Amino acid sequence: MTESRGSAGPNGGMRRRTPGTPCWVSLMVRALPATEEFYGALFGWEFRPGPQQLGPYVRALLDGREVAGIGQLPPDRPLPVAWTPYLASDDADRTAETVRLCGGTVGVGPLDAADAGRMAIASDPSGAVFGIWQGGAHLGAAVTGVPGTPAWNELVTFETASVVKFYTTVFGYGQEPVVAADFDYITLDIDGRPVAGVHGMGHGLPRDRGPHWRTYFEVADTDATLHRIVELGGQVRKPAHDSDHGRVAAVADPEGARFWVIQSPH
């Protein structure tokens, strides 16, 4: 995993992200006010309205800087409540077309999100959903590497070989296998910098979910965060344990949206 603490560019703005860089995470929910209350209490987020092309939508801010988005699901669409990473693109239309040519599906867009940028929601050939983001006025998360911000994105799938070929073709990633017995894991790189992981789980993949992207959020204290999540009506899905990258746990918010929390080692 890697950390960065913001991407300040000229004119006080953000630098445009290299294509393929995870630049944003977004959650679509049924009860937007209750979800704002949960994440506000958990991560200290505040909220302000964002583009409304897909319905009511807010951007989450930490200390005044944007970190994530939360939108309201249409009541007539029984879509899953899940965190979705957005991968940067210089041309969302061209990326969407490449997704189709490589066996993926484009479910939404490409469409303009006001002046913020152009977006699409797609799925890879195994069915895992991700977003495509061509930044305009909004280039993505303004801060990472501190508690309450996305720390890592990881695709959980059946096996890595075929799906990694899809992502490297669409986004131009390099790849670095993690060498370990009985562990199918590949890190996706941009210019030698790790930006995301792909974990092949075979029959260990949760049957109720299928292939999907996981979002990890940085926290100051994993165990204290789990206690707070339960207090706020969420669930602990996998208890905290120590990993090579820090103390991690799998959790879910009150609507069932799953995410991971990680306390990086100091």
Side-chain angles (χ1 to χ4, degrees), residues 177-188:
V178 174
V179 180
D182 302 321
F183 190 60
D184 183 14
Y185 197 98
I186 290 178
T187 300
L188 302 178

Side-chain angles (χ1 to χ4, degrees), residues 222-232 236:
T222 296
D223 296 279
T225 299
L226 300 189
H227 181 73
R228 185 65 172 143
I229 285 169
V230 173
E231 279 186 338
L232 295 169
V236 176

Side-chain angles (χ1 to χ4, degrees), residues 4 18 26 37 40 44 75-76 83 89 98 107 120 124 137 161 178 182 191 208 211-212 220-221 236 266:
S4 93
T18 303
S26 193
E37 187 174 338
D76 58 340
W83 280 100
S89 169
T98 306
D124 66 29
V178 174
D182 302 321
D191 299 327
D208 61 335
H212 62 278
D221 184 323
V236 176
H266 298 295

Side-chain angles (χ1 to χ4, degrees), residues 245-266:
H245 302 287
R247 190 159 176 79
V248 299
V251 298
D253 68 20
E255 279 204 30
R258 302 180 192 185
F259 59 100
W260 289 66
V261 293
I262 180 165
Q263 175 187 346
S264 297
H266 298 295

Side-chain angles (χ1 to χ4, degrees), residues 17 23-28 32 35-36 39 43 45-51 57-62 64-71 83-86 138 140-144 148-151 153 215-217:
R17 308 297 173 87
C23 60
W24 190 245
V25 291
S26 193
L27 173 65
M28 299 297 287
L32 185 55
T35 301
E36 289 182 44
Y39 286 100
F43 291 140
W45 290 351
E46 297 177 341
F47 301 91
R48 72 178 180 200
Y57 187 85
V58 295
R59 289 184 182 147
L61 283 72
L62 184 66
R65 295 192 285 178
E66 296 173 345
V67 295
I70 303 176
W83 280 100
T84 302
Y86 280 71
H138 172 70
V143 58
T144 58
T149 64
N153 293 282
T215 298
Y216 289 72
F217 288 95

